[in-house]
Amino acid sequence: MPAVTRPNFSDAKPVSFGRGGPDGYPVHGIDVARFQTSIDWRAARANGVNFAFIKATEGGDLVDPMFRDHWRGAGRAGVARGAYHFFYHCRPAAEQAAFFIRNVPRTRGALPPVLDMEWTPFSPTCTIRRPPEVLRAEAKIFLDIVEAHYGQRPIIYSTVDFYQENQMWRVGPYPFWLRSVAAHPDDIYGGRHWTFWQYTSTGLIPGIAGEVDINVFDGPSAEWGAWLAANRHP
């Protein structure tokens, strides 16, 4: 099992979560995209970044310009890494899955691929809101294609409003990565199971220029090791 480093983080806009806050979880990590242009991955790893979800693709024609740099850097520093796809609601799920597969390699030790589904009210090209049953069906198409290719059960990321309005737990028994920046996710998501919790978007971490999203894994270090053993790409 890779050694778990304790977080040496701060927050530009700290929140008091009270009982059950993220400080009670030993395994912390980040998610990054093109906005994080400068990362000293070895420094970040030494200061508590145990895993990283890295934006790879969006829709069917956009590759994040920092994906390859982040992917290589995290791997060299021993950070457990996984790639995520930002879902575009105006393109068929099968096309998006094929695009993700073309751009994300099957890498030994990689975390499961992630499907990021949320509303896009500020998109310049696509702000539609399809019915919940359509969105869940599209998610399942993407997930099935990606799982067949990588041989790993994917993770679903979602936000409070999208998750609740579309009853995303009905997609299936997938690991969920849920956003909750003002309260513990058990209080916000009705006690439904989650594997990763994104608790801030204004984190400050040595080795990373500017603010960054920070997450925790739901469990102690030993469970993290067991989860990695069961879910990493062989």
Side-chain angles (χ1 to χ4, degrees):
M1 183 186 80
V4 171
T5 54
R6 299 289 296 186
N8 177 32
F9 305 157
S10 56
D11 200 318
K13 298 178 181 178
V15 171
S16 177
F17 288 92
R19 184 177 62 85
D23 290 346
Y25 297 86
V27 184
H28 291 239
I30 58 175
D31 58 278
V32 296
R34 63 183 176 86
F35 307 106
Q36 287 73 42
T37 57
S38 178
I39 298 180
D40 180 336
W41 283 97
R42 294 191 184 279
R45 175 76 175 97
N47 282 279
V49 173
N50 296 285
F51 63 87
F53 291 116
I54 301 168
K55 184 176 182 180
T57 52
E58 179 174 334
D61 55 10
L62 192 154
V63 177
D64 190 282
M66 290 299 296
F67 172 64
R68 290 176 179 84
D69 285 346
H70 287 330
W71 190 255
R72 287 193 295 263
R76 290 169 181 163
V79 175
R81 56 186 171 162
Y84 76 87
H85 174 81
F86 188 88
F87 195 82
Y88 185 71
H89 297 288
C90 295
R91 194 152 194 159
E95 290 184 12
Q96 298 190 56
F99 184 66
F100 180 85
I101 287 168
R102 286 200 301 273
N103 288 282
V104 177
R106 280 186 286 205
T107 303
R108 184 175 183 180
L111 300 179
V114 178
L115 174 59
D116 176 350
M117 294 196 80
E118 51 192 285
W119 295 124
T120 56
F122 306 111
S123 170
T125 58
C126 182
T127 59
I128 63 170
R129 294 168 73 99
R130 294 177 173 178
E133 61 274 14
V134 174
L135 289 171
R136 293 195 301 269
E138 284 288 282
K140 194 67 168 65
I141 290 169
F142 182 99
L143 294 164
D144 285 348
I145 294 171
V146 168
E147 182 171 359
H149 178 77
Y150 294 96
Q152 296 166 278
R153 193 154 185 79
I155 297 167
I156 300 174
Y157 169 90
S158 198
T159 57
V160 178
D161 54 348
F162 192 95
Y163 179 92
Q164 293 177 338
E165 290 170 23
N166 297 292
Q167 299 182 332
M168 290 302 290
W169 61 90
R170 296 178 61 185
V171 174
Y174 292 91
F176 275 90
W177 167 24
L178 300 175
R179 176 175 174 83
S180 182
V181 297
H184 192 282
D186 286 354
D187 298 329
I188 300 299
Y189 290 91
R192 293 188 176 88
H193 179 70
W194 54 272
T195 302
F196 295 95
W197 166 22
Q198 184 186 73
Y199 66 86
T200 184
S201 58
T202 54
L204 302 171
I205 299 175
I208 301 178
E211 299 174 357
V212 65
D213 295 340
I214 308 180
N215 309 269
V216 296
F217 169 76
D218 181 24
S221 299
E223 287 186 16
W224 171 241
W227 191 89
L228 285 177
N231 290 278
R232 274 181 151 176
H233 195 281

